[in-house]
Amino acid sequence: MKIAIPKERRPHEARVAVSPETVKKLIGLGAEVVIEKGAGSGAAFTDQSYKDAGATIAASAKATLSGAEVILKVQRPQIGGKNSEAAGLAAGVHLICIMDPLRAKDDVAALAELGVTAFAMDMVPRITRAQAMDVLSSQANLAGYKAVLDAAEHYGRAMPMMMTAAGKILPARTLVMGAGVAGLQAIATARRLGAIVSATDVRPAAKEQVESLGASFVAVEDEEFKQAETAGGYAKEMSETYKAKQAELTALSIAKQDIVITTALIPGRPAPLLISAEMVESMKPGSVIVDLAVENGGNCALSKLGKVVTSKNGVKIVGHANVPSRLATESSSLYARNILNFLQLLIDAESKALAIDWEDDIVKGTLICRDGAVVHPALAEMHAPAPEAESPKPQEPGSGGGDEAGPAEAIPDAPSEEGA
C-alpha cells in the first residue's frame, strides 16, 4: 500500500501531513511512504529526516502520487486553475485532508466526479474514541496560543503588572470572545503573561471552563442562553433579540479593553459579526484586536484577511491568515498524529491493507464522497441533482396557477473549526 504526501500548494500553508515520527509508524503499519521533495520544509522537516525515517523522496507531485492508494494532505486539493491538483487524483484513491466541505461545494462535487473517496479530518465526530483524531482541537489550540503572542507583538505596552522604582505598570485588560478550544488556550496564555482576562461565549458550559482558568465570564445569562448549545457541544446561532442584548453588553466591555481576541465560528456559515466599527472607535488608541475568524468573514467589521490594519483612532486589527500554519512545526506534528490515529482505524494490522468499516461512526462522520457520489448526510442534499421540471398542467377555473415554496431545510450540525 502506497501512501503519498504531496507538497501543499495553497497560499499561507506551511504545514505538512506527516512528520518523521509518524512516517516510521506508517511504515510499521506496512505502508510504503512517498513524500514530494520539499514537502516538509515549511515545518522544518528536511527531506533527509524523512529518508532517515524510511520514506522515499519523489522529485515531483506526479511521481509522488503515481500509484498511490492513499493521499495525505493538510488542505483539500485545488481543483481548476493554473495550480490545479486534479491531475494526480486517480479514481478510487483515498484522500484524507482538512476539507471545509460545507464551504466548498464545487470542490467536493469535483472530487466526487473524479471518483475519489474523500475523508474530511475536520468532520471527525466529537466522541470519546475520536479525541486523538480531532484536528480542529489540535490546530485551534495552537491558534489560540499564537493569537495572544500576536496581540503582545502589536500591543505597544507590557502585559503583566510591574512594580518598578519609577512607579507601577498596570496589567493589560484582555477580552477573549468565544471560549472553545482556541479561546480557552488564549485565556490560559494571556493569564500566563499576566493580563487581566475576561471572556464571553454563548454556551452555558463555557462559564465554568472560563472561570476555572482564572478569567471572568461576560454574557447575558437569560433563558435563551441556557439552551444555546447543540447536543454535540457546539454553539447554536442565537436570535436577533439575544444578539442585540449581548452586543450591548459586549460594547460596554470592549471599551475598557486593551486587547480583544475573537474566535467565534458557526459551522458552515460566515463568522458572526461581534465587533462593529463603532465598538472599535470606543477602544483606546494602541489597543489590539486579533480576529481568528477572519478567513470566514471575520468577527470584527474592520478586519482584513492577511493584513494588520489600524483604525482611525489608532486601534490595530490583526487578521493573519492560517494562524496554525504560523507555528508549522508543532501544528504539523499534531496534525500528523491525528492522521496516523485515523489511518490506524482504516488499516488492518494483520493484512497491512486497507480494511474500512463503512458503518463505523468515525468513518461515516468523515466520509464525504465515495463511488462518484457525495455521501455525507450534511452535504448529500446540497449536491443532489435538481429535479426535472414537470410539464405545466392546465389551470382549473379560478386557480392562481402558482406553487407555494416550502421551507428550506437546515443543514445538520457539523463541527466548527474552532470548536466553540
Side-chain angles (χ1 to χ4, degrees), residues 145-159 193 259 286 288 290 308 316 318 320 326:
Y145 164 78
K146 184 61 173 173
V148 177
L149 300 189
D150 287 339
E153 176 188 350
H154 292 285
Y155 183 57
R157 286 166 275 179
M159 289 189 72
L193 290 178
I259 294 170
V288 177
V290 179
V308 178
K316 291 184 179 179
V318 181
H320 291 309
R326 289 164 54 77

Side-chain angles (χ1 to χ4, degrees), residues 166-398:
K168 181 170 70 174
I169 297 174
L170 295 176
R173 301 184 68 89
T174 300
L175 174 66
V176 178
M177 304 186 75
V181 176
L184 291 174
Q185 183 58 249
I187 292 168
T189 303
R191 286 276 297 157
R192 285 195 292 268
L193 290 178
I196 296 174
V197 185
S198 57
T200 180
D201 195 285
V202 297
R203 297 170 302 128
K207 180 178 181 179
E208 183 178 348
Q209 295 170 325
V210 166
E211 292 176 344
S212 72
L213 292 172
S216 57
F217 191 68
V218 180
V220 176
E221 299 184 42
D222 59 9
E223 287 302 314
E224 184 175 359
F225 172 79
K226 296 176 183 178
Q227 305 297 324
E229 190 170 343
T230 69
Y234 299 100
K236 289 182 180 178
E237 187 166 13
M238 308 299 281
S239 70
E240 293 303 319
T241 301
Y242 183 89
K243 287 179 182 178
K245 290 189 289 185
Q246 183 69 7
E248 183 179 355
L249 179 61
T250 300
L252 293 173
S253 180
I254 282 178
K256 305 172 185 176
Q257 304 301 319
D258 299 301
I259 294 170
V260 179
I261 296 170
T262 68
T263 71
L265 292 168
I266 298 172
R269 299 181 186 179
L273 182 62
L274 304 179
I275 303 177
S276 66
E278 291 76 18
M279 292 179 187
V280 175
E281 290 175 6
S282 74
M283 297 179 70
K284 295 171 287 187
S287 300
V288 177
I289 297 170
V290 179
D291 191 344
L292 284 182
V294 68
E295 289 179 292
N296 292 309
N299 296 143
C300 177
L302 301 183
S303 59
K304 301 291 183 183
L305 178 60
K307 296 183 179 179
V308 178
V309 298
T310 303
S311 69
K312 292 179 181 179
N313 61 319
V315 176
K316 291 184 179 179
I317 302 104
V318 181
H320 291 309
N322 197 346
V323 175
S325 185
R326 289 164 54 77
L327 294 167
T329 301
E330 285 80 8
S331 57
S332 296
S333 295
L334 295 180
Y335 180 72
R337 291 174 199 153
N338 293 146
I339 287 275
L340 172 66
N341 291 327
F342 182 72
L343 276 171
Q344 288 174 329
L345 183 70
L346 309 183
I347 299 173
D348 181 75
E350 294 184 4
S351 66
K352 308 292 186 181
L354 286 176
I356 302 172
D357 178 4
W358 300 106
E359 295 304 312
D360 184 276
D361 288 341
I362 299 174
V363 172
K364 289 193 295 184
T366 55
L367 181 63
I368 302 301
C369 51
R370 181 188 180 199
D371 297 332
V374 178
V375 298
H376 195 285
L379 301 165
E381 186 171 331
M382 294 170 59
H383 292 265
E388 294 183 7
E390 295 183 5
S391 300
K393 297 179 181 179
Q395 296 183 20
E396 296 182 3

Side-chain angles (χ1 to χ4, degrees), residues 14-40:
R15 293 173 292 179
V16 63
V18 293
S19 65
E21 173 199 0
T22 62
V23 164
K24 290 180 181 179
K25 294 180 179 179
L26 290 173
I27 292 171
L29 293 174
E32 173 196 1
V33 179
V34 180
I35 303 173
E36 184 180 355
K37 181 180 179 180

